Amino acid sequence: MRATNRRRGLLAATALLPVLALSACGSDPAAPAKPAAAAGVAPGQDVVSAVAKVDSIAALLPEEVRKAGTLKVGSSTGAPPSAYYPDQANRKPAGIDIDFTDAVGKVLGVAVEREDAKFETILPALDSGKYDFGTGNFGVTTARLKTIDFVTYIDDGQGFAVKKDNTTVPAVTELGQLCGLTVGVGAGTTFETTLNSRKNVCSDAGRKPFEVKAFSDNGAVLTGLQQGRIDIVMSTINGLRYQAAQESAGTKFLGEFHRLDVGFAFKKGSALTPAFQGAVNQLIKDGTYDRILKKWGVTDSAIKESLISPPEHP
C-alpha cells in the first residue's frame, strides 16, 4: 500500500473510534466522540428527575451513609449505550448505567459522586474503600462472585461482531468456530477471561488456536478490526448492537453468545446491597425502570426483579 493511502486508512479508522466505545467491559473516558443515537434511542430524554425518595427503602442504608448523604461511584464511562459523553464539550455523562445510578440515588435520598475510572481498576478499588460501588456494565460471573457482591439491574451478556462486509464468519454458537481467528476484546473483561480459559477447544480438536488480543482502549479494538489486525470482536450484546446501528462503524452484529446479569458492584459483604436492591425493585414497580430501558432501546434486557449476587447464568 502506498504511504498516502495508508495515511488515509489510518485517518478513516481513527474517525470511527468513538462508535466502538463498547460497554461492559471496557471504557475510554477520553474518547472525543459524539456518536449518533441508534434507532429508537433518545439520549436527551429525562426519565429520572421525577423519581422520589422512598423513606422505607432509604432506611435500609447504613446510618453513617444516611448522615453523610453521599455515595461515591467508580464509573467506567465512554461506552454507549452503557455510559458515555454525548457532548465532549460539557462532559455530561449519559447512558443506561448513568440513569440507573441517578435513579437509585433519588430513591435512597443520597447524592451520587461520580468519578471516571478505567474499567479494569474499579473492582479492585472497591475493597480498598476508594468507591462505595462501581458501574461499568459489570457482568455477574462465578469468578467475580468470589470477591464482589452485585445488585442486578439488567440482563446483557456476550456477543460477537465482524466487519460489515465479512461473509465468512457465521453467528458464533460455540468457541470452536473461532479457531484460527484473532479476537479483539477489552482488557480485564469477561470476554478476555472466557476466551483465555477455553483456548484448548481448538488444540483438542487438532486445529489452530484462536488468538486473543486485549485492548485497554476500546477505540483501538475497532481500529484493529477495520485494519484487519483482528478478525472478530467479542463484547457486550447491547454495545455491539448499538455500534452496528452506527453506519460509519461498518460492523455487523453476529448475535448473542452468552447472557449475563449486570449489576452494581460492591465489595464482598457490603451493607449497601439491600438498599440498592430495594431501590431497583422500586424503579421496576413505579415504571421508571421500563422508561429507562425504552429510552436506550434495550427493552429485551429487562429483569423481573433485582437480586443480590445471583449465580451466573448457565
Side-chain angles (χ1 to χ4, degrees), residues 168-243:
T168 62
V169 181
V172 179
T173 57
E174 55 92 15
L175 296 183
Q177 293 172 261
L178 301 176
C179 296
L181 301 179
T182 300
V183 190
V185 297
T189 63
T190 61
F191 319 116
E192 182 181 19
T193 301
T194 296
L195 293 173
N196 284 331
S197 68
R198 298 290 307 282
K199 279 188 172 181
N200 64 295
V201 300
C202 297
S203 56
D204 288 352
R207 302 176 63 191
K208 181 181 178 181
F210 52 77
E211 180 183 355
V212 181
K213 285 192 175 182
F215 301 83
S216 59
D217 177 350
N218 281 319
V221 184
L222 182 58
T223 302
L225 185 66
Q226 296 294 346
Q227 295 180 346
R229 290 184 287 112
I230 58 177
D231 302 301
I232 188 169
V233 174
M234 187 180 191
S235 191
T236 68
I237 294 167
N238 288 336
L240 290 172
R241 280 178 172 156
Y242 189 99
Q243 172 203 316

Side-chain angles (χ1 to χ4, degrees), residues 57 60 107-108 151 273-283 306 308:
I57 300 175
L60 298 174
V107 173
L108 298 178
V151 172
T273 56
F276 271 69
Q277 180 192 31
V280 174
N281 283 330
Q282 171 62 24
L283 297 174
S306 176
I308 297 174

Side-chain angles (χ1 to χ4, degrees), residues 28 37 42 49 68 122 134 136 152 157 159 163 195 206 210 218 239 263 270 279 291 314:
D28 179 17
S49 63
I122 295 175
T152 60
K163 289 177 68 174
L195 293 173
F210 52 77
N218 281 319
S270 172
R291 287 190 287 274

Side-chain angles (χ1 to χ4, degrees), residues 18-296:
V19 294
L20 181 73
L22 300 178
S23 61
C25 298
S27 68
D28 179 17
K34 186 176 181 180
V41 174
Q45 182 185 5
D46 176 13
V47 294
V48 173
S49 63
V51 175
K53 179 182 178 182
V54 179
D55 291 336
S56 60
I57 300 175
L60 298 174
L61 287 170
E63 183 179 0
E64 64 270 21
V65 175
R66 297 199 306 272
K67 287 182 177 179
T70 61
L71 286 169
K72 189 170 185 178
V73 57
S75 178
S76 175
T77 307
S82 179
Y84 70 114
Y85 294 108
D87 186 344
Q88 286 291 317
N90 63 29
R91 298 285 288 179
K92 183 178 180 181
I96 301 166
D97 287 353
I98 305 302
D99 281 344
F100 275 117
T101 298
D102 290 348
V104 165
K106 285 183 172 293
V107 173
L108 298 178
V110 297
V112 177
E113 296 179 356
R114 184 176 285 108
E115 180 178 305
D116 278 350
K118 286 288 188 181
F119 176 87
E120 62 269 25
T121 69
I122 295 175
L123 298 185
L126 295 174
D127 193 55
S128 70
K130 182 177 182 179
Y131 307 121
D132 295 305
F133 67 103
T135 61
N137 203 33
F138 288 110
V140 179
T141 67
T142 300
R144 285 176 173 167
L145 285 169
K146 294 177 182 178
T147 57
I148 298 294
D149 275 336
F150 292 93
V151 172
T152 60
Y153 56 96
I154 61 169
D155 185 65
D156 193 350
Q158 303 172 330
F160 291 92
V162 293
K163 289 177 68 174
K164 201 168 187 175
D165 60 359
N166 187 320
T167 59
T168 62
V169 181
V172 179
T173 57
E174 55 92 15
L175 296 183
Q177 293 172 261
L178 301 176
C179 296
L181 301 179
T182 300
V183 190
V185 297
T189 63
T190 61
F191 319 116
E192 182 181 19
T193 301
T194 296
L195 293 173
N196 284 331
S197 68
R198 298 290 307 282
K199 279 188 172 181
N200 64 295
V201 300
C202 297
S203 56
D204 288 352
R207 302 176 63 191
K208 181 181 178 181
F210 52 77
E211 180 183 355
V212 181
K213 285 192 175 182
F215 301 83
S216 59
D217 177 350
N218 281 319
V221 184
L222 182 58
T223 302
L225 185 66
Q226 296 294 346
Q227 295 180 346
R229 290 184 287 112
I230 58 177
D231 302 301
I232 188 169
V233 174
M234 187 180 191
S235 191
T236 68
I237 294 167
N238 288 336
L240 290 172
R241 280 178 172 156
Y242 189 99
Q243 172 203 316
Q246 315 299 315
E247 185 64 30
S248 58
T251 62
K252 176 172 59 177
F253 178 56
L254 293 181
E256 300 180 8
F257 178 72
H258 179 49
R259 279 275 175 176
L260 290 172
D261 285 318
V262 169
F264 296 107
F266 304 83
K267 68 178 181 180
K268 201 70 179 174
S270 172
L272 296 172
T273 56
F276 271 69
Q277 180 192 31
V280 174
N281 283 330
Q282 171 62 24
L283 297 174
I284 293 173
K285 179 182 177 180
D286 70 18
T288 302
Y289 184 86
D290 285 340
R291 287 190 287 274
I292 292 174
L293 296 189
K294 287 177 182 177
K295 170 182 175 177
W296 295 104

